[in-house]
């Protein structure tokens, strides 16, 4: 089985200025941190960076590490083009076969370290045609129409530990064959397996508060990993 990874990174970030490329920890960016994790996985044949950042150049430590930059048209780097078109464009430009396996990885989950473990799970499980990283939600959810989403009000109300499992897409990792990405024009396959990660490792950076929180947690990661969640 051939495995490849793609990291989509836009030059301009609307909610967090230059979040993919600015210093995050120890003079490294979120992109650098993700590359450091992926290049350690020997079963990944090549890592592609899809970006419109014309100034992006690989550091010397990465130039010989099976990493390649694929330039992306700015048309596919805004919040106007449908997300499905962006996905299709990014995947179409990756020079691999349709039957090759592709890992779609985001920089915005720097606390997620389980890429290799998730990859092994994907390899072993033949019942599914993909895998998506999720985190378990043990909260009482309610919609804006005041209707509960995963429980019911009343004297039949269950304790949270007795509720049916509910999951959130973490955004850290999506795996399937290239043909699945192209056919569905989406990152999640038609029959995905779940890789259930901790709530700690599933923190996704969506705004400036998340960025600063992730920096603090990353810096103190060893301490927080001792806490069960």
């Amino acid at each position: 089985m051939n495995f490849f990874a793609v990291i989509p990174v836009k030059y301009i970030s609307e909610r967090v200025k230059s979040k993919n490329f600015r210093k995050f920890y120890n003079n490294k960016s979120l992109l650098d941190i993700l590359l450091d994790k992926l290049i350690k996985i020997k079963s990944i044949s090549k890592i592609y960076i899809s970006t419109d950042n014309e100034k992006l150049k690989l550091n010397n430590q990465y130039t010989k590490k099976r990493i390649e930059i694929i330039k992306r048209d700015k048309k596919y780097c805004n919040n106007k083009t449908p997300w499905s078109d962006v996905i299709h464009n990014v995947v179409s430009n990756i020079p691999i076969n349709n039957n090759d396996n592709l890992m779609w990885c985001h920089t915005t989950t720097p606390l997620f370290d389980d890429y290799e473990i998730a990859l092994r799970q994907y390899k072993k499980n033949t019942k599914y045609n993909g895998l998506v990283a999720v985190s378990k939600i043990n909260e009482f959810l309610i919609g804006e129409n005041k209707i509960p989403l995963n429980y019911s009000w009343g004297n039949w109300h269950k304790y949270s530990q007795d509720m049916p499992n509910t999951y959130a897409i973490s955004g850290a990792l999506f795996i399937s064959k290239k043909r699945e990405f192209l056919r569905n024009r989406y990152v999640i396959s038609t029959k995905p397996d779940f890789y259930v990660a901790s709530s700690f490792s599933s923190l996704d950076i969506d705004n400036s508060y998340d960025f600063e929180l992730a920096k603090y947690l990353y810096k103190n990661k060893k301490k927080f990993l001792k806490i069960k969640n």
Side-chain angles (χ1 to χ4, degrees), residues 28-164:
K28 292 203 170 189
S29 67
L30 288 172
L31 176 59
D32 293 332
I33 287 170
L34 180 53
L35 287 173
D36 286 344
K37 295 176 185 180
L38 295 180
I39 59 179
K40 292 177 182 176
I41 305 174
K42 295 180 180 178
S43 57
I44 298 178
S45 300
K46 201 160 190 176
I47 302 163
Y48 296 96
I49 303 171
S50 172
T51 186
D52 62 330
N53 185 354
E54 297 176 358
K55 298 178 181 178
L56 179 62
K57 292 183 180 179
L58 294 175
N59 296 332
N60 291 335
Q61 60 177 317
Y62 298 134
T63 52
K64 296 181 180 179
K65 296 286 187 179
R66 64 191 191 283
I67 299 172
E68 181 179 329
I69 296 174
I70 297 179
K71 296 299 182 183
R72 193 181 348 155
D73 191 295
K74 292 188 183 298
K75 173 185 176 182
Y76 298 99
C77 297
N78 56 47
N79 287 335
K80 296 179 181 178
T81 302
W83 181 230
S84 61
D85 290 351
V86 174
I87 294 168
H88 192 271
N89 176 264
V90 169
V91 175
S92 295
N93 285 295
I94 300 173
I96 63 176
N97 296 323
N98 282 354
N99 284 327
D100 288 333
N101 298 281
L102 183 63
M103 302 168 62
W104 181 288
C105 309
H106 286 152
T107 63
T108 50
T109 49
L111 301 172
F112 184 86
D113 295 327
D114 297 349
Y115 296 97
E116 192 157 18
I117 300 172
L119 195 53
R120 287 201 296 267
Q121 179 177 315
Y122 172 77
K123 290 177 182 178
K124 289 180 181 178
N125 207 327
T126 57
K127 295 190 300 181
Y128 304 96
N129 62 4
L131 179 143
V132 55
V134 300
S135 61
K136 192 175 179 180
I137 299 176
N138 283 107
E139 298 177 28
F140 299 107
L141 304 178
I142 183 170
E144 63 179 357
N145 55 4
K146 310 300 188 298
I147 297 176
L149 301 178
N150 60 342
Y151 72 107
S152 298
W153 286 333
N155 58 7
W156 50 84
H157 181 112
K158 294 182 178 181
Y159 289 103
S160 60
Q161 60 264 35
D162 297 322
M163 295 167 62

Side-chain angles (χ1 to χ4, degrees), residues 177-224:
K177 292 189 180 296
K178 179 181 178 179
R179 66 167 182 264
E180 281 291 314
F181 283 95
L182 295 176
R183 180 189 301 149
N184 303 322
R185 304 177 73 89
Y186 200 57
V187 291
I188 301 177
S189 65
T190 52
K191 191 179 180 183
D193 190 11
F194 284 170
Y195 178 79
V196 184
S198 68
S199 56
F200 176 83
S201 65
S202 299
L203 174 65
D204 182 61
I205 296 174
D206 188 52
N207 53 47
S208 296
Y209 170 80
D210 294 336
F211 189 89
E212 295 303 321
L213 176 61
K215 279 174 67 174
Y216 176 77
L217 294 176
Y218 191 88
K219 181 179 179 180
N220 298 279
K221 185 160 60 172
K222 289 183 180 178
K223 180 175 73 174
F224 283 101

